[in-house]
Amino acid sequence: MGSYNDESSSDYVSKIPTIKFTKLFINGEFVDAISGRTFETIDPRTGEVIAKIAEGDKEDVDLAVRAARHAFDNGPWPRMSGYERGRILSKFADLIEQHIEELAAIDAVDAGKLFEWGKAVDIPSTAKTVHYYAGAADKIHGQVLKMSKAFHAYTLLEPVGVVGHIVPWNFPSNLFAMKVAPSLAAGCTIVVKPAEQTPLSALFYAHLAKQAGIPDGVINVVTGFGPTAGAAIASHMDIDKVSFTGSTEVGRKIMQAAALSNLKPVSLELGGKSPLLIFDDADVDQAADQALLGVMYNKAKPPFLDAYYIFTNQGEICVASSRVFVQEGIYDELVKKLAEKAKDWVVGDPFDPKSRIGPQVEKRQYDKILSYIEHGKREGATLLTGGKPLETKGYYIQPTIFTDVKEDMLIAKDEIFGPVMSLMKFKTIEEGIKCANNTQYGLAAGIITKNLDVANTVSRSIRAGTIWINCYFAFDDDCPYGGYKMSGFGRDLGMDAIHKYLQVKSVATPLHNSPWL
């Protein structure tokens, strides 16, 4: 099992950021909630309060929407050229890059994310996403149409209007940028509700957006809870589109609220129970690394620069390869390798550079993961590593691997969203495909094989939005990302993301006496 770094969290206190922004951000200003209420955001390293945050609800959402509506209907942002919007977004991205260390520290203390990972990966990629859509802002074009009758026609791509973004807690910076940047590039105005567990970085990004020159009312951030602020966004009659990342259960509620209000379009990136299929021609040592790390281990770099696996980010990852199917010829050997390699994963304070796993985001999630581990034991799975909480302050759980898992066990079916891997065995390619598809989800999948025919056959047969062959978590701003089945619909990243925030308008004009009909 992974070991715990015993050094006290107080040894890293110098890196803990000063919390500057705790109020709602509406119409370019930080303001208290109308009710005056606040809620506590908790440090998962210790279970202690970081700060008290303004608790927005329906009335505050109304104010934010009113500001966004005015900015869209009367303000300069949707009327700027794409080039002008792109210049401002580029400045926004530059400001993010100038605050990498502070933002990484905020996400470490608020979400339990590894500080070194945040500095090297999360925050730089957040800035890169904003830069990508800054470059895309002036490349939004309609088409000239060849009509079958005497008309000249073309299409216009126009911003959809006011967008409500509901952002989860597992990647508070990356997912903020993945939603906000393309909608702003398209010319929309927005209301963002960050997760109540991790509100701090979204407020900091709002501050940077104002510094960059994004006009007042274009970005609004309402911190609060899902059943109040989130529900108000989903049902608001003056919001034109909702984008949500989170659980399938909440996604259903958002669709219902959107349908019962103004039939606003919804895009959903929901849960996952992603399979990783390891075929018996794979190099067992590399396959073990991929099962743990999620991408091919590159020894030229520190592991956290390339690694993404079921334990990274404490397993709080919707695409985590939580179901690992191993062809029977190498199953026993792979189990031994995994048991050896898991020992190297140090659980500890996210500010400690030796830590590979930090705490779970909150007590409720911590308890949920531990209950699934107990389910796995009761249902007869064999505990290979971990399986226990750490005897320390905070919400730390040992990295856990189960073998002898059956597909009907809860740990193999439900999205645990924690550092829990289920190992299962298969015989043939056909059986492997069937096992991979035996889930209500369809977000991502991985395949490890040296056989190109196997890779092609399996990748075309698995019903998931992203397939990684001999790699994992190979995300890029240019590569669309989203799910099949109950993992949702719509795509983030790539130009597909911008098109979520655009309306297509057809314009036709009659032609008279044209020889070119």
Side-chain angles (χ1 to χ4, degrees), residues 492-514:
D492 290 319
L493 298 177
M495 291 301 290
D496 293 62
I498 281 191
H499 286 278
K500 291 196 305 185
Y501 305 110
L502 295 168
Q503 291 279 23
V504 179
K505 178 184 285 183
S506 296
V507 181
T509 306
L511 292 173
H512 301 289
N513 302 319
S514 172

Side-chain angles (χ1 to χ4, degrees), residues 25 49 57 63 112 157 237 243 279 293 296 308 311 318 336 369 376 416 433 441 456 517:
F25 187 78
V49 176
D57 55 25
L63 277 183
L157 300 183
M237 292 295 292
S243 174
F279 289 87
L293 300 174
M296 191 67 72
Y308 190 91
F311 300 152
C318 50
K336 292 178 183 177
I369 294 164
I416 299 172
I433 292 168
Y441 299 112
N456 285 333
L517 300 180

Side-chain angles (χ1 to χ4, degrees), residues 189-497:
T189 60
I190 63 175
V191 177
V192 182
K193 193 204 86 68
E196 55 267 28
Q197 296 88 345
T198 56
L200 295 177
S201 57
L203 294 170
F204 198 99
Y205 287 120
H207 159 69
L208 295 182
K210 184 176 176 73
Q211 284 192 331
I214 293 176
D216 293 347
V218 172
I219 290 183
N220 304 274
V221 178
V222 179
T223 52
F225 295 91
T228 50
I233 288 172
S235 62
H236 205 288
M237 292 295 292
D238 220 12
I239 287 181
D240 301 303
K241 156 88 181 180
V242 171
S243 174
F244 170 75
T245 296
S247 71
T248 299
E249 177 187 6
V250 175
R252 280 199 186 98
K253 294 178 180 178
I254 288 171
M255 283 193 72
Q256 290 168 350
L260 292 172
S261 56
N262 58 348
L263 280 175
K264 64 177 67 65
V266 174
S267 56
L268 303 174
E269 194 266 280
L270 305 176
K273 193 69 176 176
S274 299
L276 175 63
L277 273 68
I278 303 175
F279 289 87
D280 58 14
D281 64 339
D283 179 285
V284 174
D285 197 59
Q286 288 184 338
D289 280 328
Q290 281 190 280
L292 292 172
L293 300 174
V295 292
M296 191 67 72
Y297 186 90
N298 182 345
K299 294 184 179 179
K301 298 179 182 178
F304 65 79
L305 287 179
D306 279 337
Y308 190 91
Y309 76 135
I310 182 58
F311 300 152
T312 298
N313 208 58
Q314 299 70 252
E316 295 168 346
I317 303 164
C318 50
V319 296
S321 53
S322 53
R323 294 186 300 143
V324 178
F325 296 97
V326 185
Q327 202 160 14
E328 60 182 3
I330 60 169
Y331 181 86
D332 291 338
E333 186 180 357
L334 186 72
V335 167
K336 292 178 183 177
K337 288 284 184 183
L338 288 171
E340 294 170 9
K341 292 177 181 290
K343 295 175 184 177
D344 297 332
W345 290 87
V346 176
V347 184
D349 191 292
F351 286 102
D352 183 352
K354 294 188 287 294
S355 296
R356 300 284 291 279
I357 304 176
Q360 309 307 137
V361 71
E362 62 172 353
K363 179 69 160 57
R364 183 173 59 177
Q365 184 66 15
Y366 169 85
D367 290 338
K368 172 189 168 185
I369 294 164
L370 292 175
S371 72
Y372 272 108
I373 291 171
E374 292 306 311
H375 267 297
K377 294 176 184 177
R378 287 197 300 270
E379 289 179 316
T382 301
L383 187 64
L384 181 68
T385 66
K388 296 180 180 179
L390 301 186
E391 295 180 1
T392 183
K393 288 195 301 183
Y395 310 133
Y396 297 91
I397 296 176
Q398 296 172 345
T400 300
I401 302 174
F402 281 105
T403 62
D404 305 314
V405 178
K406 306 301 181 186
E407 289 187 78
D408 59 352
M409 293 180 179
L410 281 181
I411 58 171
K413 294 191 300 182
D414 290 3
E415 184 180 37
I416 299 172
F417 226 62
V420 182
M421 176 192 293
S422 295
L423 277 174
M424 290 166 275
K425 191 185 299 185
F426 71 94
K427 293 182 180 180
T428 65
I429 295 173
E430 293 74 20
E431 184 184 355
I433 292 168
K434 183 178 179 182
C435 290
N437 284 329
N438 185 22
T439 174
Q440 63 184 339
Y441 299 112
L443 197 53
I447 302 164
I448 303 177
T449 180
K450 297 175 183 176
N451 188 318
L452 185 60
D453 289 337
V454 170
N456 285 333
T457 298
V458 177
S459 62
R460 288 170 180 266
S461 302
I462 294 176
R463 290 183 51 75
T466 301
I467 309 293
W468 291 300
I469 299 172
N470 295 327
C471 61
Y472 210 83
F473 194 53
F475 281 120
D476 188 82
D477 289 316
D478 207 34
C479 188
Y481 162 68
Y484 285 27
K485 299 190 284 187
M486 289 177 67
S487 289
F489 47 84
R491 293 295 181 264
D492 290 319
L493 298 177
M495 291 301 290
D496 293 62

Side-chain angles (χ1 to χ4, degrees), residues 34-62:
I34 292 173
S35 68
R37 290 194 299 270
T38 61
F39 66 96
E40 295 174 343
T41 187
I42 303 298
D43 184 344
R45 303 170 313 137
T46 62
E48 297 171 358
V49 176
I50 306 168
K52 292 187 176 181
I53 309 298
E55 183 185 336
D57 55 25
K58 183 181 183 301
E59 288 73 21
D60 302 288
V61 170
D62 286 341

